[in-house]
Amino acid sequence: MANIIIQILYSPQAETVWQQSISIEEGSSIEQALEVSHLYQQFPEIDKETIGISIFGQKVTKTYHLKKGDRIEVCRQLSFDPKESRKRRAAHRQAGILKKKHLKPDRARRVEYDEYQS
């Protein structure tokens, strides 16, 4: 089989992105690609067993067979429970603390981030 180029992205914290392009044999699994990239050595806080993986935003398993141009996105753990956040917002709305205008994102806000490539 031929070698292909894929990208691996991980954001250890907000506004920081780690990105690496690697050459790997077509049909290799995501787990093999992560080992080749040395992601686990650079970020030892990542739990190999519970890590979330997606390809262009679509959740996949570590046994997914890679194709040319794939972008592996490594997801970090949630820092909050989305269900609890919804309940809290609903309670605030009922109490009159939040109005709908407070919940809309500020479209003029720009997010800057640092990009690390190795």
Side-chain angles (χ1 to χ4, degrees), residues 70-96:
D70 277 347
R71 182 180 72 204
I72 301 171
E73 298 159 355
V74 180
C75 307
R76 62 179 183 258
Q77 295 290 342
L78 291 175
S79 58
F80 61 91
D81 182 10
K83 290 181 182 180
E84 284 300 317
S85 292
R86 273 189 231 108
K87 287 179 188 175
R88 191 172 39 250
R89 282 195 310 267
H92 285 147
R93 215 178 281 125
Q94 284 180 344

Side-chain angles (χ1 to χ4, degrees), residues 7 54-59 68-73:
Q7 287 186 328
S54 62
I55 301 287
F56 291 110
Q58 298 295 317
K59 188 173 181 172
K68 181 180 179 180
D70 277 347
R71 182 180 72 204
I72 301 171
E73 298 159 355

Side-chain angles (χ1 to χ4, degrees), residues 7-50:
Q7 287 186 328
I8 302 173
L9 290 119
Y10 175 62
S11 179
Q13 62 226 3
E15 301 176 7
T16 304
V17 178
W18 176 86
Q19 177 179 344
Q20 185 177 30
S21 294
I22 63 169
S23 176
I24 196 164
E25 192 172 302
E26 187 173 13
S28 297
S29 70
I30 289 177
E31 188 63 42
Q32 292 168 329
L34 295 178
E35 290 295 334
V36 168
S37 72
H38 303 291
L39 176 75
Y40 298 131
Q41 287 80 14
Q42 289 187 319
F43 301 100
E45 71 273 9
I46 296 176
D47 183 7
K48 292 181 185 181
E49 303 303 319
T50 61

